[in-house]
Amino acid sequence: MPSPLTLHPDRALPAEPALRSVARTIYGQTRDLPLVCMHGHVEASVFADNAAFPDPAALLITPDHYVTRMLVSQGIAPEDLGVPRTDGGPVEQDGRAIWRRLCENWHLFRGTPSRYWLEHELVEVFGVDERPSAETADSLYAAVAARIAEPDFRPQQLLDRFRIELLSTTDPATSPLAEHARLAEQGLGERVVPTFRPDALVHLDGPDWQRDAKALGQLADVDTSRYDGFLEALRARRRAFVAAGGLATDHGHLTADTTPLDRAEATRIYDRAWSGQVTEPEAASFAAHMLHVMAGMSRDDGLVMQLHPGVLRNHHGDVFAAHGADKGFDIPVAAEFTRGLRPLLEDYGTDPRFRLILFTVDETVYSRELAPLAGVYPSVRLGAPWWFLDSPDGMRRFRELATETAGFYNTSGFVDDTRAFASIPARHDLSRRIDAGYLARLVAEHRLSEDEAVETAVDLAYRIPKQAYAPRA
Amino acid sequence: MPSPLTLHPDRALPAEPALRSVARTIYGQTRDLPLVCMHGHVEASVFADNAAFPDPAALLITPDHYVTRMLVSQGIAPEDLGVPRTDGGPVEQDGRAIWRRLCENWHLFRGTPSRYWLEHELVEVFGVDERPSAETADSLYAAVAARIAEPDFRPQQLLDRFRIELLSTTDPATSPLAEHARLAEQGLGERVVPTFRPDALVHLDGPDWQRDAKALGQLADVDTSRYDGFLEALRARRRAFVAAGGLATDHGHLTADTTPLDRAEATRIYDRAWSGQVTEPEAASFAAHMLHVMAGMSRDDGLVMQLHPGVLRNHHGDVFAAHGADKGFDIPVAAEFTRGLRPLLEDYGTDPRFRLILFTVDETVYSRELAPLAGVYPSVRLGAPWWFLDSPDGMRRFRELATETAGFYNTSGFVDDTRAFASIPARHDLSRRIDAGYLARLVAEHRLSEDEAVETAVDLAYRIPKQAYAPRA
Amino acid sequence: MPSPLTLHPDRALPAEPALRSVARTIYGQTRDLPLVCMHGHVEASVFADNAAFPDPAALLITPDHYVTRMLVSQGIAPEDLGVPRTDGGPVEQDGRAIWRRLCENWHLFRGTPSRYWLEHELVEVFGVDERPSAETADSLYAAVAARIAEPDFRPQQLLDRFRIELLSTTDPATSPLAEHARLAEQGLGERVVPTFRPDALVHLDGPDWQRDAKALGQLADVDTSRYDGFLEALRARRRAFVAAGGLATDHGHLTADTTPLDRAEATRIYDRAWSGQVTEPEAASFAAHMLHVMAGMSRDDGLVMQLHPGVLRNHHGDVFAAHGADKGFDIPVAAEFTRGLRPLLEDYGTDPRFRLILFTVDETVYSRELAPLAGVYPSVRLGAPWWFLDSPDGMRRFRELATETAGFYNTSGFVDDTRAFASIPARHDLSRRIDAGYLARLVAEHRLSEDEAVETAVDLAYRIPKQAYAPRA
């Protein structure tokens, strides 16, 4: 009989007894701090509706590409995990069957953060104590299903239970922010805030670009068939996001190029896009230009700019055609920041009204580029380990590679990149444990005093993210 | 007087007592498992002839570029280590003198895997207990020479003694596989199998390309002066390798580019090569094309495809001219897989009949590209740390960088890249120790239970490599 | 009340008790060895004048871009730290105010090597025991000011006190070496020696290139308006550096490209530069060519060649215009050595008269390129972790990434890159501690015996750097 599923109080702390003891002390001072969640992917409607979550698979498996990709990697079809088809074709509807596929393949997740988070959720949030396996799949499913049917498991109730002080959703620039308006009516307008994500609008060769650009114009009541109107409409929407409590923008680009175009060239390319003739190089140079433009807008309206380049999206054409974006087939490429960001930083990098937070999935830039940039430019903060790197060893390497050049106070503190709402406490808790372990090593190696370590840990968990995303203008 | 040479039972396990205790338990369950050796460079004739090995230097030093390069790096000429000259010029013939050069420079190997393997061999295989040094060189030489003259030290006897269940040699596509036929006659046909290596045939600008292409045609009885015939001959030789027990192909390219050409362009370039006019860019695009073609052949005939790009061969022209290839002057370059493999993976990456195992000597791609690819594409497995990275810290970093994204079960398990036959047990043993140490840390940090860790260790050492290389078609 | 500032005797040694015990033994054998300082940035005039240092801020803060950049990164203006303006505009003159800015922001340095060095200096060199803070700023300032006014705190006296056996300054190729002549008169000519740095002369598109080239010609009494004369003048100045005790050259290039030009093309580009028409690509190819030329000169005159590519200097134009070079705004880029160095190594890499020491701020090349190159080419040594990487974890990673391929004896041993003279002992001490910790792990994992570890540590701290920089010709 397998041992029951439990969470050891010292999990993810260093194994060495002297380090663990110090780490436990440090972690004890951050464990119960409120959560600041500035980079999530939970829909605002989840909170505005405050409906019960659907079945366990729909809550924990199907929408979470961190989980589905691992099952796909061993030959399980996305359809068998309930992942919708773009053509509306049949996919598995039985949550219990999907859940069983996860439990039967639980060994695939050994050593991964997904397992760590899911175990945390199962024990702490759902109160179960069985290890997932073929044998336990059905009883686990029933237990979780019962739990999420309870009234105190509604999203707004979980906001309280999880001690979430502030949560940013991620919203396209063309969002009318209706859900956030509903949240404001419910008194949650300052607790659940939008993030302005203009990616679809600045990539002129996207399939739906013109549709989105027109939608932008309608929302802002500006003619976006001209470049000037496009910029004016963006400014207007940013003001709407600020009015709705928004604190940040979010930019996912293939590269960190920020080379500006002169107005004539930008207008020329924009016009070509409007007539459906833009080339890929033109679109790339316009996207780079728009990062520079958006930095200027951030300086003016105070929205903190988040940039995470370096991912080649939708690597497999057939999977993208069948299931759409965000299905685990986004693969990183080598990143370059030093040259790419130079034009933007020349103009805004020392401006106290501007704040840029940088994320990467290419660890090689931590010590080579990001820490040196964050370690000298007043406007730059180095974001937390993101996506694949938001993991125990990934976070540990981040501190080891970045701290000696950037210190702690040029980082953003912890920023989660959550897809599954119920994983938020697990992610923050893990981050606090890893930071405690890193700080404990500095203490044990006599490179930092314990009181400084505790203060730093509290800052990283709470104060620094609050400050990093505070309005600048 | 120096301490005797001994192998500590806990060598290469973590030093911290709590970790070491768990690691010892895990390692204890894998130590005696059979060896599966899918990527070696020992000649089939060694086993078919089953002759006694020549002198200690010829067994352990001269043919092993891992060892000779280190001595060369401190100014010892390759000739003085017995490395043959291409012009047949004189080189050191006295094995005892070569052996002494190694022993006198033993300090150069401190901290290297070559030292670890050689010490393992000296103690475990040759039964000596003196540390190599100028003083001990002659007595060590005599002891090893006596040992390899014994009847139970013949290659086939060592296969048993080393518990080698399966060993792949590496054979050019133009090999008539005569040695493997002899092995089959001796009942070893399923234990020592060939690997299909077509590199010389797909690089059209190689000095001997046309000679090899003609040899291929003769073996397959097909006219290889035409591109279609070339493909037909390759298919025929692959069938011959399958018939001889072959399980895999092996591809060493400068890059991972797999962009296919249309038939007309491939034919055009092939024709130019046949008339001796191919350019370097044409040859590079043809080599990339052939990776794509070979993936299709692997899907059809079930040979597992191994790819290890990113090494600039024969970096120093004079050394290459004087001594030929594989003399330690092969230097890695930055690798790129995400874009390079995309064409191949678009077509075959989700096909259950296809299996691709990826190796690298650029560690930066572990977390950035290879783990994300292996963590979603069903056809992809992430190979073991290769060449320079097949080392204690190299293997440890591999697990730390790959596991959190790819898990354990999207890796290939241990695959050695042996040049020196006698080093095979040492290499597998070291790998099992390092994996035990990594798993022990997960246990000690309460990220994995001990029973799961043991099961995973056994899988990595034995079951996963067997499955990874099992026929797919 | 905060705890007093003390230096723990075991600081920066591994925390695990068994490792620490071995590390302490190893470190005990290197702690008091003399210092060999081959790559510093302290001016020769400091020693020739032997004047008292000015105030604490001018000694420890203002000239040290390691320190100022961190304060700038949090919004403190360079002017407020006393950093001179190129236009002669006003900057903070009050050392006490500058010192207070450091102390008030002491938390920014947590986890950085600057903090480690400064604490070492405060306790060991200045004899204070208060932690820097707003409260202690003034008393610390007074204590340090009093200390540096004492006669035994003059630079030459500190050479003795710091046990500096040999110190290289860094001098432009156009330096008349007058300060070194004064040092020779004072009997310090073999203890404080110049390093030949020709960067300004080989980058034809530098703003002051022609001025420098003319100065070179005047010093050498050669007409440098012609390329041949330029080379002749360089050779002459190198001879003067050799005569003044110089042991090495130092080359900071954007890339490691060493492709030679034929004489006609080099002459053509040189002539264009002389007439002020050189393009950026021409200048880049000439700079690469000159690395090849300089390698030949090193082979002939025995000066050891140091190369550290991969930094994009003066990233922020306005800061450069306002304050000049070396103000913390130099940001690394990805480095490439395998292809870049190939032309140079083809010609000189196996020549016993030539020695090349390679530095990087891109850690990815340690295991991928630099260790494989140093691990086979007799002329190549892998330099110590440089600049941002000269840090506890940076040095630890260096050993972990380089040793298994290059061993210890193909590295240069410790080479400091000091800006602040008083930090030299701290830097060497830290390096000895980190190497002791790494070696202790090898001992504790039974990969090295303790007597070998001690011998290796002594070699790395003292013998290897002495040998690496010994004259070759």
Side-chain angles (χ1 to χ4, degrees), chain A residues 120-453:
Chain A
H120 181 115
E121 294 169 61
L122 289 173
V123 175
E124 288 279 305
V125 183
F126 302 104
V128 301
D129 67 353
E130 288 180 307
R131 285 205 216 178
S133 70
E135 289 71 34
T136 63
D138 290 347
S139 70
L140 279 176
Y141 185 88
V144 174
R147 185 74 187 86
I148 64 183
E150 295 173 19
D152 70 338
F153 204 82
R154 297 294 169 92
Q156 291 188 9
Q157 281 63 46
L158 289 181
L159 277 180
D160 290 340
R161 179 154 171 227
F162 292 170
R163 290 191 306 275
I164 293 175
E165 179 174 313
L166 177 62
L167 183 144
S168 262
T169 60
T170 300
D171 308 85
T174 50
S175 166
L177 299 176
E179 306 293 350
H180 285 89
R182 290 173 55 209
L183 285 163
E185 287 165 15
Q186 299 176 53
L188 287 168
E190 293 181 10
R191 192 170 183 193
V192 179
V193 301
T195 294
F196 182 80
R197 183 145 189 179
D199 289 351
L201 288 165
V202 304
H203 289 94
L204 302 179
D205 54 354
D208 300 323
W209 174 73
Q210 200 172 80
R211 188 199 66 187
D212 285 340
K214 284 179 179 164
L216 177 77
Q218 282 165 349
L219 271 169
D221 199 18
V222 175
D223 174 12
T224 52
S225 72
R226 298 170 302 102
Y227 173 64
D228 285 351
F230 174 69
L231 296 188
E232 191 183 329
L234 285 171
R235 279 189 213 98
R237 287 314 298 157
R238 294 174 64 109
R239 284 194 298 272
F241 274 68
V242 171
L247 296 170
T249 69
D250 189 29
H251 305 265
H253 282 224
L254 182 56
T255 77
D257 185 12
T258 62
T259 309
L261 303 172
D262 62 31
R263 177 168 291 265
E265 177 66 1
T267 303
R268 190 190 66 78
I269 293 176
Y270 191 87
D271 291 345
R272 280 176 58 84
W274 199 265
S275 58
Q277 296 179 305
V278 77
T279 65
E280 195 179 309
E282 286 172 336
S285 68
F286 189 83
H289 165 71
M290 286 305 298
L291 285 179
H292 194 276
V293 169
M294 291 277 175
M297 293 184 185
S298 275
R299 178 202 52 192
D300 294 338
D301 63 22
L303 287 176
V304 171
M305 186 174 194
Q306 299 177 99
L307 175 61
H308 44 78
V311 181
L312 189 63
R313 305 276 174 170
N314 310 313
H315 194 261
H316 193 274
D318 287 352
V319 170
F320 178 62
H323 299 288
D326 297 326
K327 293 299 172 291
F329 283 84
D330 300 330
I331 311 291
V333 293
E336 203 287 327
F337 288 88
T338 301
R339 290 184 170 96
L341 290 180
R342 193 178 191 181
L344 185 156
L345 292 175
E346 293 254 28
D347 287 339
Y348 305 111
T350 62
D351 193 314
R353 294 167 295 174
F354 178 63
R355 165 72 34 91
L356 175 65
I357 302 182
L358 298 169
F359 298 86
T360 186
V361 272
D362 177 358
E363 301 183 80
T364 70
V365 297
Y366 285 153
S367 77
R368 188 179 65 219
E369 304 178 34
L370 294 184
L373 287 166
V376 74
Y377 276 104
S379 294
V380 176
R381 290 293 177 273
L382 179 40
W386 173 55
W387 201 336
F388 299 111
L389 305 177
D390 181 8
S391 61
D393 286 348
M395 290 192 281
R396 181 179 52 74
R397 285 196 299 274
F398 169 73
R399 289 287 171 216
E400 290 176 0
L401 288 160
T403 305
E404 295 183 323
T405 293
F408 294 101
Y409 292 85
N410 288 310
T411 66
S412 68
F414 185 62
V415 177
D416 69 78
D417 179 46
T418 300
R419 301 235 148 232
F421 178 50
S423 74
I424 287 181
R427 287 165 172 255
H428 283 256
D429 180 71
L430 180 56
S431 154
R432 292 168 185 192
R433 290 171 181 273
I434 299 299
D435 279 346
Y438 175 73
L439 287 159
R441 184 163 68 82
L442 295 188
V443 172
E445 294 179 0
H446 307 288
R447 293 159 60 189
L448 202 65
S449 68
E450 191 169 301
D451 60 320
E452 290 174 304

Side-chain angles (χ1 to χ4, degrees), chain A residues 110 315 317 332 363 391 393, chain B residues 338 346 367 377 404 452 455-456:
Chain A
R110 289 176 188 164
H315 194 261
E363 301 183 80
S391 61
D393 286 348
Chain B
T338 301
E346 293 254 28
S367 77
Y377 275 105
E404 296 183 323
E452 289 174 305
E455 185 182 90
T456 303

Side-chain angles (χ1 to χ4, degrees), chain C residues 421-434:
Chain C
F421 179 50
S423 74
I424 287 181
R427 286 165 172 254
H428 284 256
D429 181 71
L430 181 56
S431 153
R432 292 168 185 192
R433 292 170 180 274
I434 299 298

Side-chain angles (χ1 to χ4, degrees), chain C residues 361-408:
Chain C
V361 272
D362 177 358
E363 300 183 81
T364 71
V365 298
Y366 285 153
S367 78
R368 187 179 65 218
E369 304 178 35
L370 293 183
L373 287 167
V376 74
Y377 275 104
S379 295
V380 176
R381 290 293 177 273
L382 179 39
W386 172 55
W387 200 335
F388 299 111
L389 305 176
D390 182 7
S391 61
D393 287 348
M395 290 192 281
R396 181 177 53 74
R397 284 195 299 272
F398 169 74
R399 290 287 172 216
E400 291 176 358
L401 288 161
T403 304
E404 296 183 322
T405 293
F408 294 102

Side-chain angles (χ1 to χ4, degrees), chain B residues 141-155:
Chain B
Y141 185 88
V144 174
R147 185 73 187 87
I148 64 183
E150 295 174 19
D152 71 337
F153 203 82
R154 298 294 169 91

